[in-house]
Amino acid sequence: MTFADHFETFHGLPVFSLPEPREEPLPAADGVAWRLDCFDAGEMPFAELWRSFTDRVPSADVRALVIGPWWDDEYTELRPALELILADAERFPALRALFLADVTGEECEISWLQLTDVTPVLEAFPLLEEFCVRGGDSQGLGEEPLSLRPVRHEALRVLRFESGGLPGHVVRAVGACELPALEHLELWLGVSHYGGDATVSDLAPILAGGRFPALRHLGLQDSEVQDEIAAAVASAPVVAQLESLSLSMGTLTDSGAEALLGGQPLTDLKWLDLHHHFLSEAMADRVRTAFGSAGTEVDLSEHQTPHRWQNQEWRYVAVSE
């Protein structure tokens, strides 16, 4: 999936947008991932949409929630909408997955999405297994930027932050969390121009291994320092526990690929995702041969060509603004 798309499934369930009240019947509450979208609801205020949802759908059976555009005004902060959800947390004992800000670029640029501290979600839903957050408000439009505090959560298996510029303090907080069940971690790091100021050193607790003993997939993606990340991953202890690794969507060049080839063996991986890359043809062939011969599936799709301007080359990530 790219930022241009909506999820068709979430947490293994088909995504279903809550229709207007006159459109019945509704599917079983536990059979779909319920998507709430103020645009689809005729720009209904989120508070009214939330009341309609909780009145019409048996909340005790809901397994997955997807929050689309939540504003009826331009660039409205997420916090008031999130507070409504958190206030009703006890009404959702079966909730196992929550996606905040399933919004496409046509609806709002990813770096304009005004998020908030998302830690209360993990505190309010101790049985949550999948949590996805999109955005970051690098434009400073909101009162409170995206943030996370280190927490311990026993049940979380999937954590994804999709951002055109993920703040370094969020990356550090993830690395300081205790998530013993975490199997899948995906961080879209983005670019400094849109708030992505995380450094390779901020990733150190994650790369060291042991912090997340159940981790099997690691995605460190969409970065303008993808070569530096690849070099760090090439000697990172965490790789030994992984089944799949994604260094996709960023500015990976031959330098980063050479580091991967020359570092610790990665041939135990079942899948290596390098799509959206700037590798030369010769280097791409070397990567295919090295990993393909070991049975590792390698995604080298979406080869990119640098922009040239005033005798300089410019490389770009897949998702920024």
Side-chain angles (χ1 to χ4, degrees):
M1 153 170 190
T2 68
F3 180 59
D5 305 320
H6 287 302
F7 278 21
E8 294 182 0
T9 63
F10 180 56
H11 201 61
L13 299 169
V15 174
F16 180 83
S17 289
L18 184 73
E20 295 182 13
R22 65 177 179 275
E23 298 182 36
E24 304 285 356
L26 298 176
D30 61 354
V32 299
W34 294 91
R35 185 172 188 274
L36 305 185
D37 182 333
C38 289
F39 290 0
D40 282 352
E43 299 189 5
M44 179 187 296
F46 186 84
E48 186 177 337
L49 180 60
W50 181 252
R51 285 195 298 271
S52 176
F53 171 61
T54 54
D55 286 346
R56 297 161 61 197
V57 177
S59 56
D61 297 328
V62 171
R63 295 168 54 199
L65 266 177
V66 177
I67 307 303
W70 61 86
W71 59 90
D72 53 357
D73 244 340
E74 196 172 12
Y75 311 139
T76 300
E77 294 182 345
L78 175 64
R79 182 171 49 81
L82 185 58
E83 287 175 349
L84 288 172
I85 298 171
L86 296 174
D88 282 341
E90 291 185 358
R91 299 179 62 178
F92 292 85
L95 190 70
R96 297 295 181 269
L98 177 61
F99 184 179
L100 294 180
D102 176 30
V103 179
T104 69
E106 294 179 351
E107 294 163 334
C108 181
E109 297 290 354
I110 191 169
S111 295
W112 298 0
L113 292 169
Q114 297 179 45
L115 303 187
T116 185
D117 181 4
V118 297
T119 316
V121 170
L122 298 175
E123 296 170 335
F125 296 102
L127 299 180
L128 199 70
E129 297 176 358
E130 183 167 0
F131 187 34
C132 179
V133 180
R134 177 178 288 171
D137 187 19
S138 69
Q139 302 300 300
L141 299 170
E143 295 179 2
E144 184 180 8
L146 171 65
S147 61
L148 176 72
R149 289 176 278 109
V151 294
R152 181 176 178 87
H153 194 286
E154 301 288 346
L156 195 68
R157 295 189 297 107
V158 178
L159 178 61
R160 296 199 309 273
F161 280 96
E162 302 179 356
S163 179
L166 190 62
H169 60 80
V170 173
V171 175
R172 292 190 293 274
V174 170
C177 286
E178 296 182 51
L179 306 172
L182 190 69
E183 300 172 3
H184 182 115
L185 175 62
E186 190 172 321
L187 304 176
W188 294 13
L189 299 166
V191 300
S192 57
H193 183 71
Y194 289 106
D197 58 359
T199 64
V200 172
S201 63
D202 291 330
L203 298 168
I206 298 170
L207 296 177
R211 169 61 67 177
F212 308 129
L215 193 67
R216 296 297 177 264
H217 174 82
L218 177 61
L220 302 175
Q221 303 163 241
D222 197 52
S223 175
E224 61 186 347
V225 293
Q226 203 74 60
D227 283 344
E228 295 177 35
I229 292 171
V233 166
S235 60
V238 72
V239 171
Q241 69 187 77
L242 300 180
E243 295 179 354
S244 56
L245 171 67
S246 180
L247 303 175
S248 64
M249 302 171 60
T251 59
L252 187 71
T253 70
D254 286 8
S255 174
E258 188 70 61
L260 292 175
L261 292 172
Q264 64 182 309
L266 302 179
T267 49
D268 287 341
L269 292 173
K270 296 178 180 178
W271 179 52
L272 176 62
D273 181 12
L274 302 178
H275 84 270
H276 185 100
H277 63 86
F278 292 83
L279 303 189
S280 66
E281 238 179 86
M283 179 57 75
D285 286 342
R286 285 181 61 193
V287 170
R288 286 191 193 94
T289 300
F291 292 102
S293 61
T296 302
E297 182 180 350
V298 183
D299 186 349
L300 282 165
S301 61
E302 299 183 35
H303 172 263
Q304 307 295 318
T305 302
H307 291 313
R308 295 182 183 276
W309 185 69
Q310 293 186 349
N311 297 320
Q312 290 186 321
E313 289 188 344
W314 300 90
R315 294 176 177 82
Y316 44 88
V317 302
V319 175
S320 56
E321 187 176 26

